[in-house]
Amino acid sequence: MRIRKEIQVSGIVQGVGFRPYVFRLATDRHLSGSIRNTSAGVTIEIQGPANEVEDFLAQLPAEAPALARITQVTTREIPCIGDAEFRIVSSIMGETVRALISPDVAICDDCLRELFDPADRRYLYPFINCTNCGPRFTIIQSIPYDRSRTSMAVFPMCEECRREYEDPKNRRFHTQPNACWKCGPQLELWDTGGRRVACSDPVTKAVMRLRIGDVIAIKGLGGFHLAVDATNSSGVELLRRRKGRAEKPFAVMVPDLEAARTFCEIDGAGKEALISQYRPIVLLPRRSGTTITDAVAPFQRDIGIFLPYTPAHYLLFAAGNFSALVMTSANLSEEPISIDNREAVTRLAGIADGFLVHNRQILLRCDDSVVKPMAGRVRQFRRSRGYVPGPVELHKDVPTILAVGAELKNTICLTRGRSAFLSQHIGDLENLESFEFFREAVEHLQTILEIHPQIIAHDLHPDYLSTKWALAQTGVRLAGVQHHHAHIASCMAENGLEGRVIGFALDGTGYGADSTVWGGEALIAGYSRFERAGHIEYLPLPGGAKAIREPWRMGISYLAHTFGQEALGLGITFIHKVARGKFEMILRMMKQQVNSPLTSSCGRLFDGVAAVIGIREDVSYEAQAAMEMEAAALAAPASAGAYPFSLVREDGSWQIGVRPLFEAIIEDLRRKTTVEVISARFHNGLVEILARLAEHLREESSLGRVCLSGGTFQNGYLLSNLIRRLEEREFEVFTHAKVPAGDGGLCLGQALIAAHAAGN
Ligand code: ZN
Ligand code: ZN
Ligand code: FE
């Protein structure tokens, strides 16, 4: 019996070689019918003997191309017609736009082979790509995904490219960015004035400049990088000076896995992440005595390493034989990464010595992603290029919501059905440029996903630009969400949890429900509500935001809290060298409550300890003190012991007290205990007190599930040890991996909480 079926497939099925795949699947079985891209995904009609059609249906998801991600398949029987072959028909616009757009994909092995094959017509062509690789998200204007709606629209295909594009058996069948030397985008080297440098090969020319320690701005997939030879210390220091970036680590690109192994210790999870098609920056323990200069990541144990992901990257390494290149986002401090050639020349004046540019427009900027293997899993620190706009799958349907995140490391989230679409890394919304990018990202994500939110979720902080933007929107419902509640909800959502959990939300700053600065919080939380079950005791933050850049202020705050005036006589280096002249002034500020808001922040506790023990009195980037504390703790012997904290129940919640901690630290400093051991004891003490608190909360609430969220859990030493300790005590522990534990993952929690407030 012959039958005909109509099959709707949704998910990431456009621009990933899905139609040629289906074409082959059908023609191998001598089935007739058609396939076409729709705004919802693809629609297939298939006709033939019933058993062959069923077999086709069974194979369809099973053997789908590597980049395809099928979220739904629906079928219905339709009347047979008289067609004899299987055809691919051109796109039509459907009424609902549901197709998912693929993230940008690193060059595939087939293209890489062709790139270095002198016999291939794309030999050394910097924009080689195919259905399995190349740019996607960053070149798309709108959907359905067709060349005319991408920044490739201005490059008409040559005859040969067109033939590949139209041949269903070709690897480049309907590859929208398909191009070659003859018809596609080209590289050029520009001087600091934006003038084209006359040369036959811009790559070789750029390589010569890099060799002598010049800083070259290189236009890539999601934006410009600033590149400099990572083994050239004066080059790297020059870049630091010019960029005004004193100590924040630079990411380093290495030619291959072998090179990565010479610089870092790489375990299984780290290797998988490095070589994956996403090509994130992977934070890995650095080996000592390598040729990479220390100036790349001063005072850090880890170094951010990644492999080339565009053909041009491979060409640079092949021509230059570099063992490692610094490849850092081309921007000024925390401004968005540059994407436009002319804009880059202006903005990077005085930083770059030359520009390796191309004429394929980047329509949306997208920074490199950053991951770190911790406690057995690869965890997102910055989920961006390669992952976005792939959805985070939810365990249930939610309404359409826009969640606008917090202020630092901002990302936004749009939800539809069971999918949460997180944006690329937008950055710190503290300057106009970032805020512009925020607005662009909101617009663009809504356009390509065709999601028009009914609800906007935002942080409670009245001064965040994201909050202000949300409050200015009309015709939508608004949902204000407490920061740490959102962290815990984000962790719950990522792990598909319902009901209530014990949540530890540890971070630097979040607007508290009592208008103080929270950040060391124990919550009993579900999506619909939370209760603050405990927190680190309140201390004044002398100088407010200033204290975040100057940890010595918190050092004085904790010492004054623990020892009062006697702190001056403690006889420790911190008092002699740093605090003596400022102690009275800070004390007065706190007593008179001048610019000294109360905080329960865990990030500030790390700062305070780091300052007192001499690891760091000032920081030049966010979380620097905590990262250096972690590095110190990791260098300590395994059984260093743990400092005491106090734990008392007061006014209906648990207070974690720091007096015993600082008394013990001072004692150790007098005994000349090393900072490594002190740091380990501090981490271990924190683990112990959190585990004890979890026990109390389990007793009170009968809850046995613990969620860990907030930026502090990007500390691998703390995370691994707390997971282990809680599991020993038979808690079920849930953590972040798919979205960042820090504020980069906050929008997901905001969205889920807003969904519940709306009655889901
Ligand atoms: Zn390819
Ligand atoms: Zn061509
Ligand atoms: Fe936070």
Side-chain angles (χ1 to χ4, degrees):
M1 193 188 65
R2 292 178 74 76
I3 58 168
R4 188 176 185 88
K5 283 200 167 177
E6 187 194 77
I7 308 160
Q8 308 271 4
V9 186
S10 35
I12 300 181
V13 288
Q14 294 186 13
V16 292
F18 200 74
R19 286 177 302 173
Y21 157 69
V22 171
F23 179 89
R24 279 191 299 272
L25 208 60
T27 47
D28 285 355
R29 289 170 179 72
H30 308 290
L31 299 171
S32 66
S34 65
I35 180 170
R36 59 175 198 268
N37 274 351
T38 65
S39 318
V42 297
T43 298
I44 303 166
E45 287 189 21
I46 194 85
Q47 177 174 321
N51 60 328
E52 288 287 341
V53 169
E54 289 311 324
D55 182 54
F56 171 90
L57 263 169
Q59 291 306 310
L60 183 67
E63 286 168 17
L67 300 182
R69 199 152 150 199
I70 297 173
T71 53
Q72 207 180 19
V73 180
T74 58
T75 60
R76 66 183 181 111
E77 212 161 315
I78 53 173
C80 285
I81 59 170
D83 56 357
E85 52 178 22
F86 193 87
R87 291 181 315 125
I88 297 179
V89 288
S90 53
S91 299
I92 55 155
M93 286 287 282
E95 57 292 0
T96 51
V97 183
R98 285 281 157 93
L100 300 184
I101 287 175
S102 162
D104 301 305
V105 183
I107 181 173
C108 73
D109 291 344
D110 291 331
C111 286
L112 198 54
R113 215 171 299 122
E114 289 173 358
L115 181 66
F116 291 109
D117 175 4
D120 194 272
R121 70 184 189 92
R122 290 190 181 84
Y123 179 51
L124 306 185
Y125 179 56
F127 302 91
I128 186 171
N129 66 79
C130 73
T131 336
N132 300 316
C133 74
R136 298 288 187 276
F137 174 61
T138 52
I139 60 164
I140 291 174
Q141 190 110 55
S142 62
I143 61 171
Y145 172 57
D146 263 330
R147 192 175 178 105
S148 62
R149 294 180 198 84
T150 71
S151 59
M152 286 301 292
V154 297
F155 300 101
M157 270 182 274
C158 69
E159 247 174 72
E160 274 169 290
C161 284
R162 163 83 40 203
R163 216 173 298 131
E164 295 167 336
Y165 183 86
E166 286 170 356
D167 175 6
K169 286 177 285 301
N170 194 285
R171 199 170 96 245
R172 297 194 167 88
F173 176 69
H174 281 222
T175 295
Q176 307 307 342
N178 190 28
C180 73
W181 281 113
K182 219 190 281 174
C183 65
Q186 306 292 338
L187 284 177
E188 283 183 2
L189 187 68
W190 288 7
D191 67 12
T192 51
R195 286 167 300 252
R196 183 172 177 274
V197 176
C199 60
S200 59
D201 181 7
V203 171
T204 315
K205 196 92 180 165
V207 159
M208 283 162 57
R209 305 285 297 277
L210 285 165
R211 279 238 185 84
I212 56 168
D214 275 6
V215 176
I216 303 295
I218 299 173
K219 186 178 183 180
L221 212 45
F224 274 82
H225 282 115
L226 287 164
V228 70
D229 184 345
T231 62
N232 181 329
S233 61
S234 55
V236 175
E237 267 149 29
L238 179 76
L239 176 59
R240 286 211 175 275
R241 272 198 309 280
R242 289 182 181 172
K243 219 178 162 227
R245 178 156 156 164
E247 288 159 335
K248 193 172 178 181
F250 286 140
V252 172
M253 189 179 273
V254 296
D256 50 35
L257 188 63
E258 291 337 296
R261 285 192 200 284
T262 63
F263 298 121
C264 303
E265 285 159 36
I266 305 175
D267 63 359
K271 177 190 155 189
E272 285 308 310
L274 268 177
I275 63 173
S276 73
Q277 65 185 55
Y278 314 109
R279 289 291 203 279
I281 295 168
V282 188
L283 298 170
L284 291 164
R286 169 181 178 180
R287 289 186 194 280
S288 55
T290 73
T291 50
I292 291 183
T293 166
D294 284 343
V296 161
F299 311 110
Q300 294 300 322
R301 183 193 73 137
D302 293 341
I303 185 168
I305 289 268
F306 58 152
L307 299 188
Y309 55 85
T310 70
H313 293 155
Y314 278 100
L315 293 174
L316 277 171
F317 278 104
N321 221 355
F322 300 108
S323 59
L325 285 175
V326 163
M327 289 283 264
T328 185
S329 296
N331 55 5
L332 283 169
S333 62
E334 300 303 322
E335 283 181 12
I337 183 170
S338 295
I339 53 172
D340 178 78
N341 294 350
R342 290 288 155 199
E343 171 217 339
V345 170
T346 316
R347 281 178 68 200
L348 303 175
I351 300 179
D353 298 306
F355 297 82
L356 189 61
V357 301
H358 60 71
N359 54 346
R360 185 180 69 203
Q361 221 190 326
I362 298 172
L363 291 179
L364 209 68
R365 57 171 60 80
C366 199
D367 283 89
D368 294 316
S369 295
V370 182
V371 302
K372 182 175 171 180
M374 294 192 301
R377 290 174 75 187
V378 172
R379 314 206 179 237
Q380 290 285 350
F381 272 33
R382 184 165 80 191
R383 186 180 179 276
S384 207
R385 185 209 21 95
Y387 301 94
V388 171
V392 173
E393 266 142 50
L394 303 174
H395 61 290
K396 60 180 175 184
D397 281 301
V398 295
T400 55
I401 294 167
L402 166 64
V404 296
E407 176 154 83
L408 298 182
K409 302 187 163 56
N410 182 273
T411 60
I412 59 150
C413 172
L414 280 167
T415 59
R416 178 180 56 212
R418 286 177 175 235
S419 297
F421 301 93
L422 275 72
S423 73
Q424 69 273 50
H425 167 77
I426 295 171
D428 298 350
L429 297 185
E430 293 176 320
N431 56 61
L432 199 62
E433 287 76 11
S434 304
F435 183 56
E436 273 307 309
F437 179 25
F438 165 85
R439 297 207 312 211
E440 255 176 60
V442 169
E443 274 301 308
H444 189 261
L445 208 56
Q446 290 186 16
T447 305
I448 62 167
L449 297 170
E450 275 289 303
I451 295 179
H452 304 290
Q454 310 149 4
I455 304 165
I456 297 181
H458 60 85
D459 198 270
L460 293 179
H461 202 304
D463 298 332
Y464 284 179
L465 289 177
S466 57
T467 307
K468 288 181 173 171
W469 180 88
L471 294 177
Q473 305 306 304
T474 52
V476 286
R477 266 185 292 161
L478 292 173
V481 179
Q482 200 281 322
H483 189 94
H484 301 95
H485 186 202
H487 272 308
I488 298 305
S490 174
C491 183
M492 288 178 68
E494 172 174 344
N495 291 287
L497 304 184
E498 280 293 318
R500 292 191 311 155
V501 300
I502 295 169
F504 289 130
L506 307 184
D507 64 4
T509 302
Y511 195 77
D514 58 358
S515 300
T516 64
V517 183
W518 291 10
E521 311 306 312
L523 310 181
I524 301 290
Y527 297 114
S528 49
R529 54 184 296 275
F530 77 96
E531 171 196 322
R532 193 187 195 198
H535 62 87
I536 296 175
E537 68 176 318
Y538 282 130
L539 259 84
L541 183 66
K546 232 182 185 174
I548 297 173
R549 286 184 305 271
E550 299 174 358
W552 60 264
R553 290 170 179 267
M554 277 319 284
I556 292 179
S557 187
Y558 287 111
L559 291 184
H561 174 73
T562 308
F563 302 100
Q565 281 290 348
E566 281 167 33
L568 278 173
L570 285 174
I572 58 168
T573 313
F574 173 70
I575 294 289
H576 293 311
K577 292 253 168 75
V578 186
R580 185 168 293 283
K582 305 159 181 161
F583 196 84
E584 295 297 337
M585 184 258 298
I586 296 290
L587 216 58
R588 222 175 310 122
M589 255 179 104
M590 297 194 293
K591 271 203 186 113
Q592 297 168 356
Q593 296 172 20
V594 178
N595 195 16
S596 299
L598 291 178
T599 187
S600 55
S601 165
C602 189
R604 297 297 84 76
L605 178 60
F606 273 84
D607 285 356
V609 174
V612 168
I613 69 177
I615 282 193
R616 187 149 288 280
E617 293 99 40
D618 297 281
V619 295
S620 61
Y621 59 93
E622 212 230 335
Q624 183 178 11
M627 285 164 70
E628 292 177 17
M629 289 278 289
E630 180 193 358
L634 283 162
S639 51
Y643 288 136
F645 286 79
S646 63
L647 186 62
V648 291
R649 205 170 151 82
E650 226 172 68
D651 309 326
S653 78
W654 293 93
Q655 313 264 325
I656 298 174
V658 298
R659 277 202 183 95
L661 165 72
F662 280 90
E663 282 164 3
I665 289 175
I666 298 301
E667 223 168 280
D668 264 351
L669 284 173
R670 285 184 179 141
R671 284 198 208 113
K672 308 270 179 253
T673 308
T674 65
V675 291
E676 285 78 17
V677 168
I678 295 181
S679 192
R681 288 180 177 164
F682 165 65
H683 280 82
N684 298 341
L686 196 55
V687 165
E688 284 310 314
I689 199 65
L690 291 170
R692 248 175 73 200
L693 178 53
E695 298 259 32
H696 286 298
L697 298 178
R698 175 163 62 185
E699 236 163 73
E700 291 169 9
S701 66
S702 332
L703 299 172
R705 297 180 301 177
V706 182
C707 283
L708 307 180
S709 191
T712 302
F713 287 113
Q714 296 191 333
N715 178 322
Y717 188 98
L718 182 72
L719 182 75
S720 321
N721 284 298
L722 184 55
I723 292 174
R724 189 176 41 76
R725 200 82 187 93
L726 288 169
E727 285 178 347
E728 276 168 15
R729 299 186 182 197
E730 287 170 359
F731 285 97
E732 244 187 301
V733 186
F734 299 92
T735 56
H736 287 281
K738 290 181 250 172
V739 305
D743 286 2
L746 198 79
C747 57
L748 177 64
Q750 291 177 333
L752 267 285
I753 290 169
H756 275 258
N760 280 75

